[in-house]
Amino acid sequence: MAMDDTRVRDQLIEAFVNAEGPISGEELSHRFGLSRTAIWKHIKSLEPLGFVIEASPRVGYRAVHIPDELMAPLVRPHLPPDCLLGSPILWEASRASTNDTALELAQKGLPHGAVITAGEQTGGRGRRDRAWASPRGGMWFSVFVRNPCPLRHAPDLTLLAALAVCRALRHEGVPVEIKWPNDLLIRGRKTGGILAQIRAEGELVDHAVIGIGLNANFPIDLLPAEIRHRATTILHETGRPIHRPKVLARVLTELDRLYRDLRDGRGFQVVYDEWIALCSTVGQEVEVAVGDERLRGKAREVLPDGSLVLETSPGVTRTVVSGEVLFSDREQV
């Protein structure tokens, strides 16, 4: 879809969202500077996206159903005016990877706060380049930030993003927890993950792409059969869908506040106690991947710098700055 068509699409959706009643084709034609035939074609193009637009002769068009896609005109009404994240929001029905798109656009001057979203991903991935199933109904998005922090604090981006998602979902009554450092669990089963990719200039992070994937409003049988014993969806666990644009707006609002603290030198330490209270890893027997090495032991604590202290044998500990918890005795694996 060309950019001009995208702009018309979003403005047309915004018109239907704000309308108190039917909108005549003549009014839309005048507002957009397009023929009534062109307006009709743009309205018809919304139907494959899940919009149901009712047309009545001599009355006009009325939106009977508006889907909860992560599109700019559906998310922005829920964002506070001072939020620096979410402008622009670039949605497509399908992308290979929102992170890949953000990294490509970064080379073309993508502004701070831009959010790349998709109805589905055909090439989604997690840590260690693993494939990530990303069907329609999930939340697949990447947040682009510039100059967030010194390089030594780059791991904070993942930790803070996990907290922002937890805050947003728990506000909706979803009992989500964090598995150090970047997974989101419900009752021990994975429902989301975070992949932060950065570009550094010397000792400073020039920009970062924070990719977030959430198994939200789709049935669990859309996940690959081989992972259903350890993965889940919000719909499956709670029995109800979440309003995805509203949840995305809340994630962006929370992440914006946390980002500002990080940029000002107050990072993970400021929210350490809250993060620890949400972390399911501490106290569990775990296996941790550190590069090609595998470590087993009890997760004793997460330090204020975000690193994990692992007791590998009685009285012997190892501090893991960057790694991945492959499993814990609390998870259903």
Side-chain angles (χ1 to χ4, degrees), residues 306-323:
S307 56
L308 177 70
V309 177
L310 185 69
E311 186 177 43
T312 54
S313 60
V316 178
T317 61
R318 171 104 172 248
T319 300
V320 181
V321 176
S322 177

Side-chain angles (χ1 to χ4, degrees), residues 132-162:
W132 180 288
S134 311
R136 294 187 62 82
M139 293 182 65
W140 323 118
F141 62 99
S142 297
V143 184
F144 181 75
V145 294
R146 290 193 179 274
N147 309 120
C149 60
L151 183 58
R152 67 182 183 278
H153 292 311
D156 286 11
L157 289 168
T158 298
L159 301 172
L160 295 177

Side-chain angles (χ1 to χ4, degrees), residues 9-313:
R9 178 197 71 192
D10 285 357
Q11 291 178 353
L12 192 58
I13 293 170
E14 185 176 13
F16 283 121
V17 168
N18 295 328
E20 297 181 357
I23 313 174
S24 70
E26 182 179 0
E27 179 184 346
L28 291 171
S29 176
H30 178 74
R31 185 183 304 185
F32 293 106
L34 298 171
S35 69
R36 294 181 66 169
T37 300
I39 290 294
W40 178 82
K41 288 181 178 178
H42 280 289
I43 288 175
K44 294 297 288 183
S45 74
L46 296 178
E47 293 180 357
L49 307 181
F51 291 82
V52 179
I53 308 297
E54 184 180 79
S56 300
R58 295 182 297 278
V59 176
Y61 299 99
R62 183 172 66 91
V64 177
H65 174 72
I66 296 175
D68 69 334
E69 294 289 351
L70 303 183
M71 307 173 81
L74 305 182
V75 176
R76 282 186 189 138
H78 303 288
L79 283 172
D82 63 342
C83 183
L84 299 179
L85 304 183
S87 182
I89 295 172
L90 305 177
W91 178 89
E92 288 292 345
S94 180
R95 297 185 190 274
S97 160
T98 59
N99 263 32
D100 286 351
T101 300
L103 290 168
E104 291 168 9
L105 294 177
Q107 307 308 312
K108 302 176 182 178
L110 191 66
H112 169 78
V115 180
I116 310 299
T117 65
E120 67 174 1
Q121 291 184 124
T122 57
R125 65 186 187 279
R127 287 172 68 95
R128 300 175 181 269
D129 217 30
R130 295 191 189 95
W132 180 288
S134 311
R136 294 187 62 82
M139 293 182 65
W140 323 118
F141 62 99
S142 297
V143 184
F144 181 75
V145 294
R146 290 193 179 274
N147 309 120
C149 60
L151 183 58
R152 67 182 183 278
H153 292 311
D156 286 11
L157 289 168
T158 298
L159 301 172
L160 295 177
L163 179 58
V165 174
C166 271
R167 286 177 174 177
L169 289 178
R170 283 180 165 261
H171 184 78
E172 299 297 317
V174 181
V176 65
E177 296 177 312
I178 302 169
K179 183 176 81 170
W180 184 92
N182 69 320
D183 284 345
L184 300 157
L185 308 179
I186 300 177
R187 302 181 184 95
R189 299 167 77 181
K190 185 170 180 175
T191 194
I194 298 163
L195 177 63
Q197 296 176 272
I198 68 168
R199 178 177 177 179
E201 297 287 348
E203 293 301 313
L204 295 175
V205 175
D206 178 73
H207 62 255
V209 173
I210 306 168
I212 298 173
L214 292 173
N215 300 334
N217 297 345
F218 59 87
I220 196 170
D221 59 11
L222 291 186
L223 293 174
E226 63 270 18
I227 67 169
R228 288 178 204 159
H229 65 291
R230 53 188 171 86
T232 190
T233 74
I234 293 171
L235 178 63
H236 179 78
E237 293 296 326
T238 66
R240 58 182 174 82
I242 56 175
H243 188 269
R244 293 182 294 163
K246 183 179 176 182
V247 171
L248 175 56
R250 193 167 189 94
V251 171
L252 296 178
T253 301
E254 297 290 353
L255 186 57
D256 182 53
R257 294 167 182 160
L258 294 167
Y259 161 82
R260 294 190 201 202
D261 283 343
L262 177 62
R263 182 194 58 193
D264 295 339
R266 303 185 308 275
F268 180 62
Q269 295 85 349
V270 176
V271 295
Y272 174 75
D273 290 341
E274 180 185 1
W275 197 96
I276 289 298
L278 293 168
C279 180
S280 66
T281 307
V282 176
Q284 303 298 314
E285 293 289 338
V286 299
E287 179 175 319
V288 182
V290 183
D292 294 330
E293 187 180 10
R294 297 292 187 272
L295 302 174
R296 289 176 179 265
K298 176 164 283 190
R300 284 301 182 189
E301 61 179 323
V302 174
L303 298 176
D305 66 358
S307 56
L308 177 70
V309 177
L310 185 69
E311 186 177 43
T312 54
S313 60

